[in-house]
Amino acid sequence: MIDLLRLDERLIHGQIAAAWVKTLPVDTLLVIDDTSATDPFLTKTLYMASPANIKTFVMTNEEALKVLNDPRCADRHIFVVVRTIDTLLNIAENAKDVKEVNVSNYGRLVTSGKERKGYTDHLFLDDDEAVSLKKVLAFDIPAFMQMTPSQPKTPLTNILKNV
């Protein structure tokens, strides 16, 4: 059901709308972010940025888990985008049928108040975030870092090997 679960603090942007949605065999784009889902302005902005040919939804964590675990959605091909590692971990742990996890841009916009270490040019984590991201690997879901579909996948295990 979830063809790709992507961590990207920018949520919907050009790479999502122009590259990922065209490459993946998806019919639904689901943004899971409590802040965006409860702010009418942010929600409207995300809908405006989404591709016209893809059903798009912006939901809270709680709403999304109900939908993702609903058997009526089993035939959907869903691309899930989340802003935070906590949300990523929650979905990986509690949603059914996550095929792959993609980590992208994280750590420059979302602040934790703690010192962050750069793991790549696009991934900055504090110690707690690194541990939480490593927990995603325990679910035995293929997890990788890849900015655009045309770039090679780097296994997340390689990036987090010193955590």
Side-chain angles (χ1 to χ4, degrees), residues 8-157:
D8 190 329
E9 64 189 353
R10 301 168 300 165
L11 298 174
I12 301 176
H13 52 85
Q15 288 174 356
I16 300 294
W20 284 102
V21 169
K22 291 179 181 177
T23 304
L24 296 170
V26 296
D27 51 34
T28 306
L29 176 58
L30 175 55
V31 174
I32 305 174
D33 182 56
D34 290 347
T35 301
S36 297
T38 56
D39 182 323
F41 177 76
L42 291 175
T43 299
K44 190 170 195 164
T45 302
L46 289 166
Y47 283 126
M48 288 172 51
S50 71
N53 62 328
I54 299 289
K55 286 185 178 274
T56 301
F57 301 94
V58 180
M59 297 182 178
T60 64
N61 278 280
E62 185 178 333
E63 293 167 332
L65 281 173
K66 287 178 187 173
V67 169
L68 293 171
N69 289 315
D70 188 325
R72 293 175 292 179
C73 292
D75 294 335
R76 307 285 319 183
H77 292 279
I78 303 172
F79 177 19
V80 175
V81 182
V82 301
R83 182 188 309 264
T84 68
I85 291 173
D86 288 342
T87 302
L88 179 79
L89 182 58
N90 185 38
I91 300 305
E93 185 174 31
N94 296 299
K96 297 177 183 175
D97 301 323
V98 177
K99 292 180 184 171
E100 293 183 310
V101 171
N102 172 271
V103 174
S104 179
N105 288 294
Y106 184 80
R108 290 185 186 201
L109 300 177
V110 174
T111 58
S112 69
K114 299 176 185 174
E115 186 177 335
R116 286 200 164 120
K117 173 185 172 187
Y119 286 82
T120 72
D121 291 345
H122 303 283
L123 181 63
F124 300 86
L125 306 169
D126 67 36
D127 291 341
D128 293 334
E129 291 169 330
V131 168
S132 292
L133 191 54
K134 192 145 187 182
K135 286 180 184 177
V136 172
L137 299 174
F139 297 107
D140 219 18
I141 302 167
F144 55 90
M145 182 145 195
Q146 184 181 29
M147 301 302 292
T148 64
S150 63
Q151 294 178 328
K153 295 177 180 180
T154 302
L156 199 54
T157 53

